[in-house]
Amino acid sequence: MARRSIKSYVKREGRLTKSQSSALDNYWVKYGVNYSPTALNLESIFGRRAPIILDIGVGAGESTINHALIHPENNYLAIEVHRPGLGRLLNKIESLSLNNIKIINHDVIDILEKQIPNRSLNQIFIFFPDPWPKKKHHKRRLINSDIFMLMKDKLNLHGRLHIATDCLNYAEHINELLNCNLEIINLAGKDNFSPRPVWRTETRYEHRGIKLSNKVYDFCCGLS
Ligand SMILES: C[S@@+](CC[C@H](N)C(=O)[O-])C[C@H]1O[C@@H](n2cnc3c(N)ncnc32)[C@H](O)[C@@H]1O
């Protein structure tokens, strides 16, 4: 598949705090997986065979941390392009001694295309992808037909894709993609949103939206 030239993010790194920078220096070697355009052996990077959850665009990883704590039986692959968030996540993983989270600091499109073996994922989470609300920026949205095509090959046959957004226009766009896609289906039924999963952590990002009275739209999808 052709590599997308329009990115779903803007590198706005700014300065890392001392704590973020020292986390990256000290803990990356323990929990980080360097990007390279070759398929990963997921069993060997986690040192065990266990269900794999791909958490895309984790920010500072609040949701990943909570899920990984509650489900030590799962392995979590957290993807994020923004390093300050990863510094915070690394500090948290280390302080909680979690051994079921690994992190990749790279564009998820390349990771899906090159690193994730087909049928290897039990779940994919995309919680609050950047909404890019202006019409001229919609082309930057992470969720489009290309990523759907990639994800459908990566989920295992009983795999689940969970998405949440607080942008109605984005939710409508995702709904349309699901209506056109015969291979990933909306488990709530055509044109329906799913109830909020009880296990989904309210992150700072979601909390800010709720304070602004934003409604949140959840999708739970599976393979047809
Ligand atoms: C709005 S934040 C949401 C963070 C978190 N999921 C939450 O619910 O709080 C979206 C995140 O996705 C990341 N992101 C956007 N495009 C990405 C891409 N192509 N690959 C990896 N991360 C990406 C951004 O850097 C940002 O941190």
Side-chain angles (χ1 to χ4, degrees):
M1 187 181 292
R3 195 175 188 285
R4 290 197 326 179
S5 52
I6 300 171
K7 298 289 183 194
S8 58
Y9 55 90
V10 176
K11 278 267 189 188
R12 52 184 155 84
E13 184 128 312
R15 282 169 74 97
L16 294 165
T17 65
K18 252 194 183 154
S19 154
Q20 290 161 353
S21 161
S22 90
L24 288 159
D25 288 347
N26 295 322
Y27 306 139
W28 181 259
V29 57
K30 231 166 142 182
Y31 307 108
V33 175
N34 291 321
Y35 175 76
S36 80
T38 48
L40 290 170
N41 180 333
L42 294 170
E43 241 176 275
S44 94
I45 65 166
F46 285 97
R48 64 171 187 171
R49 178 193 282 250
I52 307 270
I53 287 87
L54 184 76
D55 199 348
I56 299 178
V58 299
E62 298 141 278
S63 159
T64 323
I65 289 279
N66 280 350
H67 222 264
L69 263 174
I70 297 168
H71 292 284
E73 74 280 10
N74 293 338
N75 288 335
Y76 293 81
L77 200 49
I79 313 299
E80 177 54 60
V81 285
H82 194 223
R83 289 199 317 150
L86 292 183
R88 300 231 300 275
L89 175 57
L90 284 165
N91 276 328
K92 198 83 189 157
I93 299 175
E94 177 68 9
S95 67
L96 293 167
S97 306
L98 287 172
N99 57 12
N100 58 342
I101 302 180
K102 297 284 178 197
I103 301 172
I104 309 181
N105 177 210
H106 195 81
D107 188 331
V108 70
I109 300 299
D110 293 337
I111 294 169
L112 284 167
E113 279 182 2
K114 307 286 188 197
Q115 290 196 291
I116 307 289
N118 285 351
R119 301 280 165 257
S120 62
L121 303 176
N122 290 64
Q123 300 188 60
I124 300 177
F125 298 163
I126 311 182
F127 295 147
F128 301 95
D130 294 305
W132 294 108
K134 291 186 183 154
K135 196 159 190 215
K136 66 174 180 187
H137 290 145
H138 284 184
K139 56 182 179 292
R140 285 192 172 273
R141 286 178 168 171
L142 176 66
I143 302 182
N144 58 22
S145 52
D146 290 353
I147 197 171
F148 263 59
M149 293 299 283
L150 287 167
M151 292 191 297
K152 70 147 171 63
D153 289 337
K154 305 303 164 182
L155 281 173
N156 68 27
L157 294 180
H158 302 288
R160 292 285 178 265
L161 163 65
H162 292 277
I163 302 173
T165 177
D166 62 357
C167 172
L168 175 60
N169 178 269
Y170 205 170
E172 287 169 346
H173 167 69
I174 294 164
N175 184 52
E176 267 167 40
L177 287 172
L178 286 167
N179 284 344
C180 304
N181 195 299
L182 300 177
E183 287 161 288
I184 296 190
I185 52 171
N186 182 351
L187 295 173
K190 187 172 182 289
D191 295 332
N192 290 326
F193 299 115
S194 288
R196 181 201 171 94
V198 285
W199 46 263
R200 190 165 59 67
T201 300
E202 186 182 298
T203 60
R204 283 194 313 167
Y205 183 89
E206 180 177 9
H207 186 69
R208 264 203 311 268
I210 288 172
K211 272 176 77 181
L212 295 170
S213 306
N214 291 355
K215 203 167 171 274
V216 175
Y217 308 92
D218 275 275
F219 293 90
C220 175
C221 315
L223 297 185
S224 54

